Amino acid sequence: MSLSMSLESVTLPLPWPTQPIASVAAGGTWQALSSLDFMFLAAVATLILALVLGRWRLFTPLFAFGYGVQFWALAQADVLTGQPLVASFALRVLRQPLLWRYDSLSWFFAILTIGAAFVCSLFALAPSTWRSDAAGGGALDGATPGIWHLFHVALALSVLSSLCLFGSGNLLALYVSWEVVVWSFFLLLTVGGGLALSAAIRYAAYSFAGGMALLGALALIFRAAGSVDFARVTASLPTLGLGSDLLLGVLLLGALGLRLGALPLFAWQPGVARPPVPVFWHGIAARVGFFALLLLLARIIGVEWLAQLGGSEWIYGLNLRILLCWVAVLLLLFGGWRARQQGSAGGVLSWLALSQTGLVLLAVLLGGPFGTASGLLQLFSLGLAEAVLAGLCLVAVPLLTADGLAVGGLQWLARGAALLAGASLVGLPPTLGFVSKWLLYDALLTDAGLGWSRWVLLTLAVLGTLLSLMGLIRLVAILRACGGRLACAARPYGVMAPVLGLSGLTLLAGVVPGPAMSWVEAMQQALGVPVLDWTLGGVEGRFNMFWLTLWQVLLLLPLLALSWWLGRRTSEPVARARAMLWRWVERLQGAPLQPDCGAGSAVPLPGQRRRLEPLLARAMNGVAAGLAGLVATRLAPWTLSVTLILLVVWALGAG
Amino acid sequence: MTAWDFTRPDAPLLVLALLLGPPLAALALRPVAVLSARGASVLGPLSLVGCALLGAALLPVVRVAPVQLALGAQGAPLELLFRVDPLALVLALVSLALVLLNWTRREDDFDPVRRDAALLWLTTGLVGLALAGDLWVSWLFVELCILATAALLVQERSLRSLVAVLGVVRWSAVGTVLAVVGLGLLQITAASLTPAGLAAVAQGSADGDVLSRLGFGLLVLGLAVKAGLFPLNAWGLAVGQAAPARVLALLSGAVPALTLVALARVLSGGELAGADVLRVVGILSALAGAFGMWRADDFPAFLMQLSLASIGGIAVGFSLPGPAGLFAALALLFHFLLIQSALFVLAHRWRGRLTDLTAIAWRMPWTAAVLVLFAASLVGVPPLPGFWAKLMLLMSLAEYQGAEAMLVVLAYLLVTAVEAAAWLRLMRIGYARAAKDSAAALQEDAALGVVRVDRLPSLLRSGPWARAYQLLVAVLLLVATLMIGPVAEDLNRLVVPLLAQRVSGCCDAGGWG
């Protein structure tokens, strides 16, 4: 027996050495940290507080305060008009850096997110309000401390991960942050269980698939560029061959399509979420993907890409950009049409949100000063409007209910707030929604690159907006039908404050759009897009909201006064007119109304089924059965034979 | 000998003791059982604990300088070569720990001594695989693992298990024939079948020599049969149906994992010969495993397919040249072994159909939460360790040129998406609110006078030790998440000897006398 102790220990450097987990800014003092760092710290602190104290509703105001602190810290960071800020905290894992950098675009999305979370936590302050004799139950009705704990933790985690997403400093940070966002949103959507869990799982499945497509694109880009840095990636894109180019395009389209819920990949859009989750969801969460789209356009692909592709014609005046615009418009129409068929408030809101996503997508694809401005303003106006509607319809006092709580005119205030939100959603003056849609129609009309398609797209966009209006009428009909079955046992003041605040902001930003336009200008500079020539009242040479509002007031005030007077009258002709009006509304609102007065479920009408998922499941079952069959007793020898033959062929071919 | 003296001249003897401990205990079981049944019942676990302590004592020694042990006559294949470096020792310790974890004695065991002996022989095979220094020794211990597998299956004494044993023996023979033919082809082109000789042939295969490519390809396929990789795992289904969960854990986890490591260690060269074959087999296994998870009807089958998918990914990592692929493969391997061991602890109780687990999350919330954490890490949710391991693998694949590499990347992404869908389906079952199905089924059974014990919720609850182990694994995962840097550094150090072995063409000539 021979024994030897030999072999030197050779230390070879791996190409991916590791570094310490985190490094803080030099000096490590509190004074060295910027407002951006404080915002992140506040977000982490809110999460920790939610983890520790979230079980007890007593501490809910503390979490709302935490979001308020984040809002304040972000507002202090002068990234909107100043230079971009880089966070002091950076991670470096397996040699690859993950850093966070805030510019005006990041700031905008972060403000929307923190604001939505703040409002959502304010809604959560209200005690359990709804009792319904429908099976679905109401807003976290009878929620256990565990459910509340999950809600607060999930909301805080969603905000923190979203803030990381909006500050993505490179591709890897974008991917990692977005993955964490998806799973945080998944947690948030599971609150309440039951149908909400199914919806959340569907969301997770589709979004994860989108994440895989994004990871594939990242791998392809990394292969070409050898780095995940935006600048180096941009420089390497022209070196990609045609095949890689196409593959990259397909992967990115798939990733963004799935994550944004674009046609036909929107099946994950959850129709069910326990209130007050829809306030956050419809406020911003459903549209965080637009940040990634804008970031990719601005930092990697370049916004000129859209214009260049628009110049290349294929056949009959169609090219890729125009095709994508069609997809966006179809999403708008489809969403609006489906909204008219829903039987629950939550379902209507979900489909309306999807249809409006189509409008935002259209605006972004149009590009240019008007298109980008419209897209960004729509994100803002939609966030406000849908948060109001979600808060009112799913959390607060039901609208137009005959038996609802009427406390000191709050009912009328609620109706007014809902009217404003609905008008903003549809794009009626003098709301912010009108400003954003005007800019969109202007972009469509003035974009010569669209050729003949612009007229069709414009018509369809207007049609889609009308469909959205009918969706809102459907919503009104549902709430009216459910009004008698719902008894509000809460004090509504706590929830009305944020509703009134948001709807007031919708009106104010519509009448005086200047401040919002200044944000848009800063973001357009960050994107590298030509800047809009704005004024305090609107756009130079295009429209002025001051005058428009004045004319509107002069024209509508008498009408409003008349309808108020008629509404208070109880004479028979008036009652008959009112009944005729409601009959007309019911005829307009689409499919027969079978309202679901629970928390909401986007259940298709009888006879309609989800087609995509069973098809997908069958396909997967088929593939699985096929693969299993290859190693079944009967086929296994043949499989072995084929494997050996292929091996021989490979050896001969490679030799 | 102080605690800090790392130069132990008796290190080779300790290695020998580590290797021979389990088989000697196996041989001693029967005589001890004659004297004392209780003594025989503890001999197996005690011997494993003793070997683990030996291994732990050796670890500081081999960190300084790996130990190479050559037994028998000089020259392959007559010489048994063992190479004990930190990676090998860690793998050996992991094998010992896994066998200990899954050590089981049932009251209805016909002959518990025989079962214990089979487990000890399996342990011998695993430890030997971990410490193997060349192809021949690896093959020897792979065969030993297969024989021990067959012996464990025979203990079940059912028709199903006999069918499984026949399948194992048949397919093992096929694998052996493939490997022998492959080696025969290599002998035509190689000057010798020593590691250095094989390394030279590997270079030739890279240069396009048909016979050597075919030889290495057959060798890889032969080992793939032993490891149960798709499409050569026809014996896996029967074994999955016949073997108990604890045995399945070892057969689907430790055995294929160590087989792959042995393959990576002994097939050396600048570019791993047969790498293309291993990569294709790996990605096909990953695909088959992922879709198998989607289709699985019961929890043990679900875990079997999960193991197949994970092993496939590890095989892809080992097939890549360069250190990043090795690093990714080892990261995936340790991550997989850790979580798989905890999941199979659950499978011991959750043996029925997946639908029987409806609403179980509400009855066992902590277990469900831990399961969700495991699933998240396996699927690759950041910032859990599984995410970084998978990302590393994908980035390594992306660095590898060629259209085929991109195809493998896309296929692996599909695998991950399908795995996620399968886990989400399981979660939907587990977190379903109303256990209507189970309640209705219970009522129906009661009406017929039938009691399905596997449907009784109380029997689904794991024992306290099992729950403690699951919690421990969950804590380890979270700690690794927070300390990903130091964990990666430690893994870095483990990879280096494997890489050095690859670059230098395995062993120094001095080791061969």
Side-chain angles (χ1 to χ4, degrees):
Chain A
M1 182 168 87
S2 62
L3 303 177
S4 64
M5 286 185 65
S6 58
L7 294 176
E8 287 176 14
S9 175
V10 177
T11 304
L12 292 175
L14 282 193
W16 290 34
T18 57
Q19 300 285 334
I21 270 287
S23 55
V24 187
T29 63
W30 289 110
Q31 287 80 9
L33 298 176
S34 65
S35 298
L36 186 67
D37 301 323
F38 276 117
M39 181 196 74
F40 279 115
L41 284 173
V44 171
T46 308
L47 176 62
I48 293 172
L49 283 173
L51 279 167
V52 174
L53 303 170
R55 275 185 85 81
W56 299 281
R57 291 188 65 184
L58 174 71
F59 293 104
T60 303
L62 192 60
F63 310 132
F65 177 72
Y67 298 123
V69 169
Q70 293 171 45
F71 195 96
W72 172 83
L74 183 61
Q76 296 296 305
D78 187 25
V79 288
L80 187 62
T81 52
Q83 293 298 315
L85 260 184
V86 179
S88 303
F89 300 93
L91 288 181
R92 194 178 181 85
V93 185
L94 307 176
R95 192 182 63 169
Q96 303 305 315
L98 275 83
L99 42 94
W100 288 274
R101 173 188 173 279
Y102 261 61
D103 56 16
S104 50
L105 188 68
S106 315
W107 183 92
F108 174 71
F109 276 88
I111 280 284
L112 287 182
T113 303
I114 297 172
F118 179 72
V119 169
C120 190
S121 59
L122 287 181
F123 280 124
L125 277 172
S128 293
T129 58
W130 296 78
R131 291 195 191 284
S132 168
D133 47 6
L140 292 177
D141 186 24
T144 61
I147 299 283
W148 278 113
H149 197 182
L150 177 63
F151 167 71
H152 286 300
V153 169
L155 186 63
L157 187 60
S158 300
V159 171
L160 174 61
S161 55
S162 300
L163 294 180
C164 292
L165 172 66
F166 301 143
S168 305
N170 58 26
L171 263 184
L172 186 61
L174 174 73
Y175 171 74
V176 173
S177 306
W178 208 353
E179 283 302 298
V180 182
V181 165
V182 162
W183 292 104
S184 308
F185 287 175
F186 165 72
L187 269 183
L188 195 61
L189 290 171
T190 59
V191 170
L195 287 173
L197 176 67
S198 296
I201 285 175
R202 191 176 302 117
Y203 163 76
Y206 280 88
S207 296
F208 192 74
M212 290 299 102
L214 186 63
L215 188 56
L218 195 154
L220 193 58
I221 290 172
F222 179 74
R223 209 165 154 211
S227 167
V228 293
D229 180 66
F230 286 132
R232 288 178 62 176
V233 165
T234 309
S236 70
L237 280 182
T239 64
L240 286 176
L242 179 64
S244 299
D245 234 356
L246 277 174
L247 182 60
L248 181 63
V250 166
L251 287 171
L252 282 177
L253 274 177
L256 290 168
L258 278 165
R259 290 259 165 117
L260 287 172
L263 199 79
L265 305 168
F266 54 79
W268 58 263
Q269 290 282 355
V272 181
R274 292 292 182 197
V277 171
V279 176
F280 182 74
W281 182 259
H282 294 306
I284 183 63
R287 283 179 287 274
V288 291
F290 279 105
F291 172 79
L293 174 63
L294 289 167
L295 186 73
L296 289 173
L297 281 176
R299 304 292 296 278
I300 296 179
I301 300 168
V303 290
E304 299 84 12
W305 180 82
L306 285 175
Q308 284 164 5
L309 266 188
S312 62
E313 225 173 79
W314 293 353
I315 45 171
Y316 300 117
L318 290 178
N319 56 34
L320 178 62
R321 178 165 159 257
I322 297 174
L323 274 174
L324 291 174
C325 289
W326 276 97
V327 167
V329 164
L330 285 173
L331 182 63
L332 164 70
L333 293 171
F334 188 73
W337 175 64
R338 288 301 297 267
R340 287 177 69 236
Q341 298 180 317
Q342 297 304 307
S344 68
V348 172
L349 285 175
S350 297
W351 284 106
L352 275 180
L354 191 63
S355 74
Q356 298 302 307
T357 298
L359 270 182
V360 179
L361 191 57
L362 177 64
V364 170
L365 288 170
L366 289 174
F370 288 95
T372 50
S374 169
L376 293 166
L377 280 178
Q378 278 193 74
L379 285 170
F380 189 21
S381 67
L382 287 174
L384 292 175
E386 291 181 9
V388 168
L389 288 174
L392 274 176
C393 301
L394 303 177
V395 182
V397 178
L399 202 65
L400 304 176
T401 173
D403 299 332
L405 190 65
V407 179
L410 274 180
Q411 198 178 29
W412 283 104
L413 279 175
R415 288 175 181 172
L419 192 65
L420 275 174
S424 185
L425 204 70
V426 170
L428 297 174
T431 62
L432 183 61
F434 168 80
V435 176
S436 61
K437 285 182 175 52
W438 180 287
L439 289 169
L440 173 67
Y441 300 143
D442 214 328
L444 272 169
L445 280 172
T446 55
D447 192 335
L450 291 174
W452 59 266
S453 296
R454 62 180 156 164
W455 303 108
V456 184
L457 288 172
L458 177 65
T459 309
L460 290 176
V462 172
L463 181 63
T465 305
L466 288 174
L467 279 173
S468 300
L469 175 63
M470 294 172 80
L472 284 172
I473 294 172
R474 178 82 169 176
L475 183 65
V476 166
I478 289 170
L479 291 171
R480 188 163 175 268
C482 288
R485 298 183 228 169
L486 295 164
C488 179
R491 297 182 296 280
Y493 299 102
V495 297
M496 285 308 296
V499 164
L500 293 176
L502 290 177
S503 53
L505 188 59
T506 300
L507 180 63
L508 186 63
V511 174
V512 189
M517 294 290 203
S518 68
W519 294 1
V520 168
E521 180 192 0
M523 285 186 277
Q524 285 177 321
Q525 283 171 348
L527 287 172
V529 176
V531 172
L532 201 64
D533 188 12
W534 61 274
T535 63
L536 194 60
V539 176
E540 185 69 45
R542 287 291 205 271
F543 64 90
N544 189 316
M545 289 304 293
F546 295 146
W547 287 112
L548 199 61
T549 308
L550 183 63
W551 279 111
Q552 199 174 1
V553 166
L554 290 174
L555 283 172
L556 288 181
L557 203 57
L559 283 171
L560 286 172
L562 179 65
S563 57
W564 177 81
W565 179 74
L566 284 173
R568 288 181 69 85
R569 296 281 295 245
T570 54
S571 65
E572 201 183 312
V574 171
R576 264 209 306 266
R578 202 182 294 153
M580 196 159 60
L581 173 68
W582 282 116
R583 270 202 304 275
W584 178 78
V585 164
E586 275 163 21
R587 224 177 284 146
L588 259 188
Q589 47 81 28
L593 187 62
Q594 298 165 17
D596 175 1
C597 300
S601 59
V603 177
L605 291 178
Q608 289 184 340
R609 296 276 181 268
R610 289 185 196 277
R611 289 194 180 85
L612 181 62
E613 286 158 35
L615 207 62
L616 211 55
R618 266 203 293 272
M620 286 168 70
N621 284 338
V623 172
L627 289 170
L630 285 176
V631 295
T633 314
R634 263 192 205 172
L635 281 182
W638 295 103
T639 306
L640 175 65
S641 309
V642 169
T643 307
L644 291 172
I645 292 169
L646 288 173
L647 175 70
V648 169
V649 166
W650 164 77
L652 289 171
Chain B
M1 188 81 61
T2 66
W4 299 106
D5 184 353
F6 294 127
T7 56
R8 295 188 61 155
D10 58 346
L13 287 174
L14 291 178
V15 172
L16 268 179
L18 181 62
L19 279 167
L20 294 176
L24 286 176
L27 292 170
L29 269 174
R30 186 64 71 188
V32 170
V34 168
L35 297 170
S36 160
R38 194 171 182 79
S41 71
V42 301
L43 179 60
L46 276 178
S47 66
L48 295 184
V49 170
C51 290
L53 290 171
L54 278 173
L58 270 171
L59 206 48
V61 176
V62 300
R63 273 189 204 276
V64 173
V67 173
Q68 184 176 287
L69 203 62
L71 302 172
Q74 286 184 0
L78 300 176
E79 183 180 48
L80 297 178
L81 192 69
F82 295 95
R83 183 185 167 86
V84 187
D85 52 40
L87 176 64
L89 208 48
V90 166
L91 287 171
L93 287 171
V94 166
S95 308
L96 288 165
L98 287 174
V99 175
L100 264 173
L101 179 71
N102 291 293
W103 194 273
T104 180
R105 259 180 173 235
R106 302 202 308 246
E107 278 75 30
D108 61 345
D109 261 341
F110 179 73
D111 188 352
V113 169
R114 206 173 277 183
R115 179 186 292 279
D116 290 356
L119 275 172
L120 284 168
W121 282 112
L122 181 63
T123 311
T124 309
L126 289 172
V127 171
L129 253 184
L131 303 181
D134 69 1
L135 173 64
W136 304 105
V137 176
S138 302
W139 195 266
L140 182 67
F141 284 102
V142 165
E143 294 288 1
L144 183 58
C145 287
I146 298 294
L147 285 172
T149 301
L152 281 167
L153 286 170
V154 163
Q155 304 302 314
E156 297 305 308
R157 297 171 68 81
S158 66
L159 184 59
R160 220 177 240 185
S161 67
L162 286 176
V163 168
V165 166
L166 283 173
V168 166
V169 168
R170 189 165 58 218
W171 281 95
S172 179
V174 166
T176 305
V177 164
L178 289 175
V180 164
V181 170
L183 282 169
L185 289 173
L186 288 174
Q187 187 143 29
I188 297 171
T189 52
S192 73
L193 289 178
T194 60
L198 285 175
V201 177
Q203 185 57 44
S205 77
D207 294 337
D209 181 23
V210 174
L211 277 181
S212 51
R213 287 179 76 88
L214 201 53
F216 274 113
L218 285 170
L219 196 57
V220 169
L221 283 184
L223 275 172
V225 173
K226 306 285 188 182
L229 293 175
F230 184 90
L232 306 166
N233 61 336
W235 55 271
L237 178 63
V239 168
Q241 289 171 346
R246 298 267 170 101
V247 173
L248 264 184
L250 295 168
L251 300 183
S252 62
V255 172
L258 266 75
T259 307
L260 282 177
V261 174
L263 183 62
R265 282 163 70 92
V266 300
L267 291 180
S268 58
E271 165 131 352
L272 177 64
D276 292 343
V277 177
L278 185 61
R279 196 173 310 120
V280 169
V281 167
I283 198 62
L284 285 177
S285 301
L287 280 167
F291 280 99
M293 282 172 70
W294 170 261
R295 194 169 172 252
D297 274 334
D298 56 87
F299 194 64
F302 182 88
L303 294 185
M304 281 282 288
Q305 299 301 325
L306 164 73
S307 302
L308 180 62
S310 304
I311 291 292
I314 295 167
V316 170
F318 278 131
S319 72
L320 296 174
L326 282 177
F327 186 94
L330 281 175
L332 283 170
L333 186 144
F334 284 119
H335 175 256
F336 159 67
L337 285 178
L338 180 67
I339 297 184
Q340 188 242 24
S341 63
L343 287 173
F344 267 100
V345 163
L346 269 179
H348 182 60
R349 295 285 187 173
W350 295 4
R351 284 179 300 226
R353 299 176 69 81
L354 286 178
T355 46
D356 292 342
L357 302 176
T358 304
I360 196 159
W362 304 109
R363 284 174 276 167
M364 299 163 62
W366 281 105
T367 303
V370 162
L371 189 63
V372 167
L373 179 67
F374 292 161
S377 193
L378 282 169
V379 157
V381 175
L384 295 168
F387 166 75
W388 300 109
K390 283 193 165 180
L391 183 69
M392 186 109 197
L393 179 65
L394 284 167
M395 305 287 254
S396 312
L397 272 168
E399 283 180 333
Y400 193 54
Q401 295 303 316
E404 165 224 287
M406 205 56 217
L407 267 175
V408 174
V409 166
L410 295 174
Y412 196 67
L413 292 172
L414 175 65
V415 165
T416 310
V418 174
E419 274 183 8
W423 275 112
L424 287 169
R425 185 181 73 120
L426 183 63
M427 276 173 55
R428 184 191 296 209
I429 293 171
Y431 279 95
R433 256 300 178 185
K436 288 189 188 125
D437 290 338
S438 300
L442 275 172
Q443 282 175 5
E444 188 184 308
D445 290 339
L448 291 171
V450 167
V451 175
R452 284 282 303 272
V453 292
D454 59 338
R455 283 194 175 147
L456 294 175
S458 58
L459 292 184
L460 293 172
R461 193 175 295 276
S462 307
W465 287 109
R467 289 204 299 273
Y469 180 70
Q470 288 160 30
L471 207 57
L472 173 67
V473 170
V475 166
L476 284 174
L477 262 185
L478 292 173
V479 166
T481 303
L482 295 171
M483 298 178 63
I484 196 74
V487 167
E489 283 287 356
D490 286 339
L491 199 57
N492 195 8
R493 275 187 231 113
L494 287 182
V495 171
V496 165
L498 188 60
L499 182 63
Q501 185 180 359
R502 270 198 177 178
V503 171
S504 70
C506 185
C507 313
D508 278 344
W512 295 96

